[in-house]
Amino acid sequence: QVQLVESGGGLAQPGGSLRLSCTVSGFSLDEHVIGWFRQVPGKEREGVSCMRGSDGSTYYADSVKGRFAGSRDNAKNTVYLEMNNLEPDDTAVYYCAGDRWTSARSMCVHRVVSAWGQGVRVTVSS
């Protein structure tokens, strides 16, 4: 059974940092793209960062490029999203998701993903 469990959300001040974790079970990181998506009410879900497990190549949305960084620990079957220099517009529910895409960018852009986590809330406010 495929399962993705996020953790690490919470409240941060503008300019602060948070790290999200996503622990995956039921499939291998090496054979999938794992992505982070976020959604606010009234807006479409946005692909923030997607990483191809076979080689670690990572796509970042323009809105987070230079501030967010993805990483992974294959031994723990866990991927991370380090979020730095947070802005109020980063406030959203963040979801971890995985699927067998060949392109990390394509999964983030097209947002067609079969397995999703439950989401964690990130609030950036002073």
Side-chain angles (χ1 to χ4, degrees):
Q1 181 181 356
V2 173
Q3 195 171 18
L4 300 95
V5 179
E6 304 100 332
S7 61
L11 175 65
Q13 292 189 338
S17 298
L18 285 173
R19 188 176 80 158
L20 305 183
S21 301
C22 173
T23 299
V24 175
S25 58
F27 65 79
S28 169
L29 290 183
D30 288 344
E31 299 175 357
H32 289 74
V33 173
I34 303 296
W36 291 95
F37 298 78
R38 66 186 181 186
Q39 190 163 26
V40 297
K43 290 189 177 181
E44 288 189 347
R45 191 168 292 189
E46 176 189 16
V48 172
S49 172
C50 291
M51 177 184 290
R52 185 167 62 191
S54 60
D55 61 2
S57 64
T58 306
Y59 164 85
Y60 297 99
D62 287 344
S63 56
V64 306
K65 202 171 293 182
R67 302 187 297 119
F68 289 13
S71 62
R72 59 181 176 167
D73 184 336
N74 283 8
K76 295 182 179 179
N77 238 31
T78 299
V79 296
Y80 304 95
L81 184 68
E82 187 75 36
M83 306 186 294
N84 299 310
N85 196 18
L86 284 162
E87 303 170 354
D89 283 349
D90 295 320
T91 296
V93 177
Y94 283 71
Y95 299 89
C96 175
D99 211 327
R100 287 181 179 267
W101 281 84
T102 56
S103 162
R105 179 185 181 280
S106 293
M107 191 174 95
C108 258
V109 170
H110 297 291
R111 297 166 291 171
V112 177
V113 187
S114 61
W116 293 88
Q118 81 283 358
V120 290
R121 183 171 300 277
V122 170
T123 302
V124 183
S125 174
S126 55

